[in-house]
């Protein structure tokens, strides 16, 4: 039986959608950077109602966090995707999120897809195609790895997410330079940003990464709120399942896993290393400062798991770069 909380959420979404349509709000598809292989692509997007029918995309506008959550999701909305010269019909889930696998024949590199739903404008999504010749990739956490957030203390997390101006967030020292060097020295490196954050904040995160000159890459986020079998989604399980999916989809790729020691990255990465040692070239962990570790609730204790896979620790991007060079990875 559907969980009561999930039923309440569906009812609220339907009510807000009706009110929005009555007040002239328009259906909108928010495209997310996606990825795929030479025989299929994974399309990621979200269907919502917005006042003017357009997603907020201005790169320099000052936006409070709560504004990322004001769009009304369109439950089970039907949408269309045009990619590789073919049109496909897809459907959003309960939260308006589109996560669909589209077959086709694609060339490694970047390509685009067009998406729309009934009454919306046509929007374009970038898609990273990973070919069999690309054997090195990067998977990076976001919170306290590329962006200082001091999570997961609940009240501070709520302040950072809903109140703080997005331009007040700061980048972790040296991490953008490290990622840029990795991508420069290893051309065509696929880059993924894996986080427990909600899809609502994907445009905000993309603007942050662009402003601070991080390499472009798909965001792999989750959806907040109740599900049919639990009150809240599990962020750790989202990371575990996403890592396992990438290993299945690209078994020839060896990943550099980058995270921090303030949440569960070490534990999750350690499990992945033990289960898929052939898919990991190294694990790089950014060490939080004493103050950051206090705000984050302490440090995790999952270091060094998995035989033959190096674990590298440093407090910033410069330190990680130096140790990656010593290992011959950079």
């Amino acid at each position: 039986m559907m969980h009561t909380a999930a039923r309440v959420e569906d009812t609220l979404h339907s009510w807000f959608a009706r009110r929005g349509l009555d007040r002239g709000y328009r259906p909108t598809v928010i495209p997310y950077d996606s990825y795929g292989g030479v025989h299929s692509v994974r399309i990621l997007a979200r269907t919502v109602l917005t006042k003017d029918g357009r997603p907020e995309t201005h790169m320099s506008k000052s936006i409070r966090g709560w504004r990322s959550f004001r769009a009304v999701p369109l439950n089970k909305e039907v949408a269309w995707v045009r990619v590789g010269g073919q049109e496909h019909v897809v459907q959003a889930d309960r939260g308006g999120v589109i996560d669909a696998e589209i077959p086709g024949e694609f060339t490694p590199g970047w390509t685009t897809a067009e998406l729309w739903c009934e009454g919306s404008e046509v929007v374009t999504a970038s898609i990273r195609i990973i070919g069999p010749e690309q054997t090195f990739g990067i998977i990076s956490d976001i919170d306290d790895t590329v962006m200082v957030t001091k999570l997961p203390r609940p009240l501070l997390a709520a302040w950072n997410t809903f109140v703080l101006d997005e331009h007040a967030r700061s980048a972790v020292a040296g991490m953008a330079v490290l990622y840029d060097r990795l991508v420069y020295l290893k051309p065509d490196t696929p880059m993924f940003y894996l986080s427990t954050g909600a899809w609502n904040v994907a445009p905000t995160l993309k603007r942050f990464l662009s402003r601070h000159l991080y390499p472009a890459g798909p965001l792999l986020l989750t959806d907040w709120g109740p599900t049919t079998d639990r009150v809240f989604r599990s962020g750790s399980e989202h990371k575990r399942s996403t890592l396992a999916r990438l290993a299945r989809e690209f078994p020839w790729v060896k990943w550099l896993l980058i995270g921090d020691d303030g949440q569960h990255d070490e534990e999750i990465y350690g499990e992945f290393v033990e289960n898929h040692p052939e898919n990991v070239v190294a694990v790089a962990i950014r060490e939080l400062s004493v103050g950051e570790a206090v705000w984050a609730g302490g440090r995790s204790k999952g270091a060094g798991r998995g035989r033959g896979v190096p674990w590298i620790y440093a407090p910033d991007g410069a330190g990680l770069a130096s140790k990656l060079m010593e290992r011959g990875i950079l």
Side-chain angles (χ1 to χ4, degrees):
M1 180 179 295
M2 179 178 287
H3 195 284
T4 302
R7 296 178 63 183
V8 171
E9 182 188 49
D10 289 344
T11 300
L12 288 174
H13 284 172
S14 297
W15 185 82
F16 281 120
R18 290 195 299 270
R19 284 292 301 263
L21 290 170
D22 290 341
R23 297 177 63 180
Y25 279 51
R26 295 172 54 192
T28 306
V29 178
I30 300 177
Y32 303 136
D33 288 348
S34 303
Y35 71 93
V38 294
H39 300 301
S40 67
V41 295
R42 182 184 182 187
I43 297 296
L44 299 168
R46 195 161 185 248
T47 56
V48 298
L49 288 177
T50 58
K51 190 172 183 179
D52 58 1
R54 296 180 180 180
E56 178 56 68
T57 57
H58 198 290
M59 296 299 293
S60 61
K61 187 174 181 179
S62 180
I63 300 174
R64 297 287 178 183
W66 65 269
R67 294 181 181 274
S68 299
F69 292 83
R70 66 180 179 176
V72 179
L74 290 174
N75 190 329
K76 302 293 185 180
E77 182 75 4
V78 173
W80 288 264
V81 178
R82 183 185 296 119
V83 59
Q86 301 291 324
E87 290 188 7
H88 305 266
V89 179
V90 296
Q91 187 175 43
D93 66 9
R94 294 174 47 251
V97 175
I98 296 172
D99 185 350
E101 188 170 340
I102 304 294
E105 297 299 323
F106 306 97
T107 301
W110 285 96
T111 187
T112 59
E114 295 180 319
L115 300 95
W116 70 94
C117 62
E118 186 174 355
S120 79
E121 296 183 358
V122 177
V123 296
T124 301
S126 297
I127 305 175
R128 183 67 161 86
I129 305 299
I130 303 173
E133 71 283 355
Q134 295 159 310
T135 58
F136 175 81
I138 303 170
I139 300 174
S140 172
D141 178 46
I142 294 178
D143 297 331
D144 287 323
T145 300
V146 302
M147 176 173 62
V148 178
T149 54
K150 299 178 182 177
L151 296 176
R153 288 289 290 272
L155 292 179
L156 189 60
W159 177 267
N160 285 337
T161 301
F162 296 105
V163 181
L164 196 65
D165 186 292
E166 70 177 58
H167 286 263
R169 298 175 184 268
S170 58
V172 175
M175 296 301 285
V177 176
L178 168 62
Y179 291 10
D180 184 68
R181 288 180 64 186
L182 284 165
V183 172
Y184 175 77
L185 293 174
K186 299 178 182 293
D188 299 322
T189 295
M191 181 85 211
F192 290 90
Y193 297 94
L194 174 59
S195 173
T196 58
W199 282 112
N200 306 65
V201 299
T204 298
L205 292 176
K206 184 175 180 179
R207 288 190 293 267
F208 174 89
L209 295 171
S210 177
R211 279 198 305 272
H212 293 278
L213 305 180
Y214 282 97
L219 296 166
L220 302 178
L221 308 178
T222 185
D223 197 14
W224 284 6
T227 66
T228 56
D229 59 358
R230 65 180 67 188
V231 177
F232 292 104
R233 291 166 174 82
S234 169
S236 296
E237 183 56 35
H238 161 67
K239 285 191 172 183
R240 289 187 178 94
S241 62
T242 301
L243 288 170
R245 175 170 182 165
L246 289 173
R248 291 194 306 270
E249 292 174 328
F250 309 107
W252 62 87
V253 176
K254 294 179 72 70
W255 301 99
L256 172 60
L257 307 177
I258 306 177
D260 64 84
D261 64 355
Q263 297 191 52
H264 302 288
D265 290 345
E266 288 179 292
E267 176 187 352
I268 295 168
Y269 288 169
E271 292 177 5
F272 184 75
V273 169
E274 290 181 335
N275 295 328
H276 304 276
E278 71 284 357
N279 292 119
V280 183
V281 65
V283 180
I285 298 295
R286 184 233 165 187
E287 297 173 306
L288 302 185
S289 67
V290 174
E292 290 172 333
V294 170
W295 283 113
R299 301 181 189 276
S300 56
K301 305 180 186 298
R305 296 167 60 178
R307 294 182 179 179
V309 174
W311 286 68
I312 296 167
Y313 289 81
D316 53 31
L320 290 175
S322 177
K323 294 186 177 181
L324 287 169
M325 288 182 65
E326 292 175 4
R327 295 277 187 167
I329 299 170
L330 182 60

